[in-house]
Amino acid sequence: MGSLEEVQCLEGHTDRVWQVAWAPSGDMLASCGGDRTVRIWRRQPTSSQQPAEQPQTPQQAEQQPAEQQHQRQQQQQQEDRWVCSAILEDTHSRTIRSVCWSPTGRFLATASFDRTTAIWQHQGGVWENVALLEGHESEVKEVAWNPNGCLIATCSRDKTVWLWEAQPGNEYEVVDVKHGHSQDVKCVRWHPQGEVLASASYDDSIKLWVDEDDEWVCAQTLAGPGVGHTSTVWELAFDAEGRRMVSCSDDGTLKIWACRKDAGRGQLRWQLLSTLTGYHGRTVFTVDWSKEGLIASGCADNAIRIFGEATADSAAAMDAEAVAAAADAAAAEPGLRGLFMQQQPQQQSCDSGGSSSEGGPFCLLCKREQAHPLDVNCVRWHPTDPGLLASAGDDCCVRLWRWHPPPA
Amino acid sequence: MELINPAPKLYERKTTRRKRVEQPVDGGEQREPIDALEVFEHIRDIVDPEHPYTLEQLNVVTEEQVEVDDVAGTVQVRFTPTVEHCSMATLIGLCIRVKLLRALPPRFKTDILLTPGSHASEAAVNKQLADKERVAAALENPNLLQMVDRCLRGAA
C-alpha cells in the first residue's frame, strides 16, 4: 500500500471549507466555504524562507557541526510552504460553494448560495470583483470554466445548468439554460477537450451535454437500475485524455465510465466500466483523477482514499488486500445503512470489468483515515507537481498531502 | 392556516432513568460516553411546528428510537410524524438535526430518518435530511432558521 503524508495544514477559514482549486500554473491554490470568503494560498519556496543559509563556502560548511548539516539537508527535502496571500470577501452574502480558475489563471469564478456567480480579476497583485452573473433562482452549487476560457457553466438547486459566454469588457452573456435534471444539480465539469459538459445531480443521474448547432443538447443520461448511481451524484472527474470519467455518490460508490464509439452511428457513448463498492463507509463527496492516473476520493467518513490501476502482475496481490479492506469497511457499518450490506465487496472491490485498452482493474492503494477530523468535502491533485494533493474539510482546514506510491 | 393534524393524540412526558451503571471515574480524566438518553434529552422538548406540544408529547420521538455508538461516533434518530402525509416532516427532521448539530461534539455522524412506513414520502424526506449541502443552505435562509429556532426554544 502507498501512503499519504500530510505536508501542511492551511488554517484561516472560520467555517466549513467546501472546495479548493489549484491555479493552472500550480503556484496558487484558492479555497472557499461557509465563511463567505475565498482565500488565495501562494507557494513560498523553502529556499526563500532560509536566505541566510543559502550562500556557503565549502569551508563554512566544514566548520558546521554535523548535526546542523543534517538539519540543512532535511530542510532541502522539505516541501514548499503555502501561505495565505489574499482574502476575497464582501461580495457574496452566503456560503461560497465553488471556486474555479480561468484557464489562463487571470480570473477566478466563485459560485454562492446567494444565487450569484462572481468573476474576480487578478491584476497587479490585487483581486477585484469585475462581474456578477445573476439568473439562477436558488443556490449556485458549482462553476466551471471550459478549457479555452470562452464559456462558463454553472449549476444550481433550481435544477438548471447555465452556459455563459465571455464577452469583451468582462461582460458575460447567457447563451443557454439547460433544463433536464429533475432535482438540484450538484456538479458541472468540462471534458478536457471541451466538447462535452457533464453534470451530476441529486436526481442520481449524470448528464452529458454537447454543442449542436449553437444549442447545447443532452446527448446522454447515465442513470438507471444496474448502471447509474442509486443516490445523489456529488461530483465527477475526467481522466487526462478524457476517455474515462469517475463519479462519486451518496450511495457510497465510485463509478468508472468509459467513452466508446457507437458502432452504428459513430457517436461517442459513455458506458459503465466498473463500480468500486464496499470501500466508502458514508457519502463520497468528491473525486479527482490525476494526470498520472490516480483517483483520489474524499468521504463523509473523514478518510481520503487513493485508487490506481493495477498492472497484470500486481492485480492478484492487490486484490487480496482490497477485499480485506472492503470487508473491514463493510463490517464497520453494522446495519447503519442497509445499502452497503446488500452489495458484495468481493465481487467488485478490485474490478476486472475493463478491457486492456481501457486500463486495468482499479484497486485501493491507500486509505488515509481521519485525513480531516470531519467530512472531507474536496480533493484536488496539483496540476504540475505529481503526487501533491489538496483537500478541504468541515474542520475549516485545507490540507496538503504528498503521495508516496507503494514500493515497486 | 388549516392544521394538518387538528387533534393529535397526546402522550405523557416520561420519567427517564439512566440504565447504564455509573462507572467509577479514575482520576477524573475519563470522558463520560454519550448515550441514547443524553441524545433524547436534547430533542424531547423540541416544540412541534404546528402544535404547542413537544415532540415527546406527540410521540414523534422516543428514547427507544435513538441509537448511539459513542466509540464509532454515530447517532441515529428515527422520528414518527403524527400523520403520514405530514408536510412538516422535513421541518421536524431539520429541527432535530440542528439541535444535535448544536448540542453534540462535531465528531458525531448523525443520521436523522423517518420511522419506516411512517410517511408517504419517506425516501424523499430521508434523502433531504441527509444532504448536508441542502441543510447548510436551509440554515442560511433567515425565514427557515427563524422557524427552526422557534421550535428549538422549548428545548434549550
Side-chain angles (χ1 to χ4, degrees):
Chain A
M1 298 288 261
S3 65
L4 272 182
E5 177 198 357
E6 184 174 342
V7 295
Q8 200 180 342
C9 173
L10 308 179
E11 293 173 329
H13 280 288
T14 56
D15 201 317
R16 159 190 292 150
V17 188
W18 272 113
Q19 206 172 58
V20 286
W22 293 103
S25 62
D27 59 350
M28 283 190 273
L29 176 74
S31 59
C32 65
D35 65 5
R36 301 156 196 203
T37 71
V38 172
R39 283 173 184 260
I40 309 290
W41 310 86
R42 190 181 271 281
R43 185 202 296 267
Q44 195 174 60
T46 312
S47 54
S48 71
Q49 286 180 315
Q50 314 284 345
E53 295 202 16
Q54 286 305 303
Q56 276 194 338
T57 63
Q59 280 154 335
Q60 281 173 321
E62 253 175 26
Q63 285 159 5
Q64 281 184 332
E67 202 175 305
Q68 271 187 29
Q69 283 197 25
H70 178 66
Q71 262 183 7
R72 197 159 49 85
Q73 279 168 0
Q74 275 199 327
Q75 276 165 353
Q76 281 168 353
Q77 288 163 10
Q78 268 180 10
E79 298 275 347
D80 292 333
R81 303 304 288 175
W82 294 76
V83 293
C84 183
S85 67
I87 300 175
L88 282 50
E89 54 192 344
D90 297 331
T91 290
H92 289 297
S93 60
R94 294 194 183 174
T95 286
I96 304 177
R97 176 66 181 88
S98 168
V99 59
C100 179
W101 297 84
S102 69
T104 62
R106 272 185 66 213
F107 296 94
L108 196 66
T110 53
S112 168
F113 285 179
D114 70 8
R115 307 175 188 183
T116 68
T117 304
I119 309 294
W120 306 77
Q121 189 173 9
H122 189 215
Q123 216 163 23
V126 178
W127 287 94
E128 190 190 355
N129 175 213
V130 293
L132 202 60
L133 316 189
E134 294 175 284
H136 278 295
E137 287 171 19
S138 54
E139 300 96 73
V140 189
K141 307 270 185 165
E142 196 167 48
V143 55
W145 231 296
N146 80 336
N148 71 15
C150 293
L151 285 172
I152 292 174
T154 58
C155 63
S156 162
R157 189 166 66 88
D158 68 12
K159 307 172 188 174
T160 62
V161 173
W162 290 44
L163 290 140
W164 314 75
E165 197 172 50
Q167 306 287 327
N170 288 323
E171 296 285 326
Y172 291 85
E173 188 187 315
V174 181
V175 290
D176 216 336
V177 175
K178 299 327 296 178
H179 299 265
H181 284 293
S182 62
Q183 294 285 348
D184 317 17
V185 189
K186 294 286 196 189
C187 166
V188 278
R189 206 54 53 90
W190 291 93
H191 186 274
Q193 271 95 56
E195 297 134 7
V196 179
L197 175 70
S199 59
S201 168
Y202 187 91
D203 69 10
D204 308 350
S205 78
I206 297 165
K207 285 185 181 284
L208 297 153
W209 308 86
V210 295
D211 189 4
E212 263 183 23
D213 304 327
D214 282 343
E215 198 198 344
W216 287 81
V217 296
C218 180
Q220 208 180 340
T221 300
L222 305 176
V227 178
H229 285 289
T230 55
S231 190
T232 302
V233 190
W234 277 90
E235 221 175 64
L236 52 87
F238 289 96
D239 71 359
E241 297 80 35
R243 281 171 46 232
R244 289 174 303 176
M245 179 170 77
V246 59
S247 56
C248 63
S249 166
D250 179 54
D251 68 12
T253 71
L254 300 183
K255 283 181 184 280
I256 315 278
W257 309 84
C259 188
R260 292 169 182 163
K261 197 162 260 182
D262 190 312
R265 300 163 64 190
Q267 282 184 322
L268 295 175
R269 304 293 292 173
W270 290 83
Q271 285 178 349
L272 180 64
L273 193 61
S274 64
T275 303
L276 301 175
T277 301
Y279 293 106
H280 297 89
R282 295 181 73 89
T283 304
V284 195
F285 291 119
T286 178
V287 67
D288 196 30
W289 206 322
S290 79
K291 287 188 177 132
E292 296 72 39
L294 293 172
I295 292 173
S297 72
C299 179
D301 68 4
N302 308 351
I304 294 176
R305 291 166 178 81
I306 308 289
F307 297 87
E309 276 172 83
T311 57
D313 291 342
S314 63
M318 298 258 191
D319 195 39
E321 276 193 80
V323 168
D328 286 349
E333 297 285 317
L336 183 67
R337 305 171 85 187
L339 189 61
F340 300 104
M341 307 307 290
Q342 291 162 14
Q343 296 164 338
Q344 297 298 314
Q346 287 86 345
Q347 284 180 1
Q348 293 171 321
S349 60
C350 194
D351 196 278
S352 53
S355 67
S356 57
S357 68
E358 281 157 342
F362 284 85
C363 287
L364 182 68
L365 300 178
C366 170
K367 177 184 178 187
R368 172 75 195 207
E369 304 260 17
Q370 300 295 326
H372 290 257
L374 302 173
D375 295 6
V376 182
N377 296 319
C378 184
V379 286
R380 294 288 185 270
W381 292 105
H382 190 278
T384 56
D385 181 350
L388 182 61
L389 181 76
S391 64
D394 272 2
D395 61 350
C396 311
C397 291
V398 174
R399 291 172 198 267
L400 301 180
W401 307 88
R402 175 62 60 185
W403 165 244
H404 299 292
Chain B
M1 194 181 79
E2 196 183 336
L3 294 180
I4 298 153
N5 182 5
K9 190 177 172 203
L10 292 183
Y11 297 78
E12 287 282 318
R13 189 177 203 276
K14 290 196 186 77
T15 309
T16 49
R17 210 152 35 100
R18 279 224 143 60
K19 291 182 199 96
R20 81 162 176 257
V21 182
E22 297 293 335
Q23 300 278 331
V25 179
D26 297 336
E29 289 293 315
Q30 266 184 345
R31 187 178 56 83
E32 191 133 309
I34 287 172
D35 61 7
L37 176 58
E38 180 170 344
V39 171
F40 179 62
E41 295 281 5
H42 287 306
I43 60 173
R44 65 194 300 184
D45 294 324
I46 296 172
V47 177
D48 184 83
E50 66 165 18
H51 295 291
Y53 304 116
T54 68
L55 296 187
E56 182 184 17
Q57 285 174 307
L58 295 169
N59 212 32
V60 173
V61 294
T62 64
E63 189 188 342
E64 292 70 38
Q65 297 246 71
V66 178
E67 282 174 36
V68 178
D69 185 335
D70 184 83
V71 177
T74 57
V75 171
Q76 183 185 284
V77 176
R78 293 204 177 263
F79 68 104
T80 316
T82 56
V83 286
E84 67 170 22
H85 290 281
C86 182
S87 59
M88 295 288 176
T90 312
L91 181 57
I92 294 169
L94 187 62
C95 289
I96 298 172
R97 181 166 282 290
V98 171
K99 185 67 220 273
L100 294 182
L101 267 176
R102 292 176 183 172
L104 294 179
R107 71 183 178 91
F108 277 94
K109 305 285 182 186
T110 309
D111 291 306
I112 313 290
L113 301 158
L114 284 161
T115 306
S118 69
H119 198 274
S121 315
E122 187 181 322
V125 172
N126 284 346
K127 188 173 186 180
Q128 209 167 339
L129 290 172
D131 186 316
K132 75 168 185 181
E133 189 181 47
R134 281 197 172 195
V135 170
L139 297 182
E140 289 187 359
N141 176 337
N143 296 329
L144 198 51
L145 189 60
Q146 204 182 357
M147 286 162 80
V148 169
D149 278 330
R150 200 185 303 135
C151 297
L152 295 190
R153 213 166 289 152

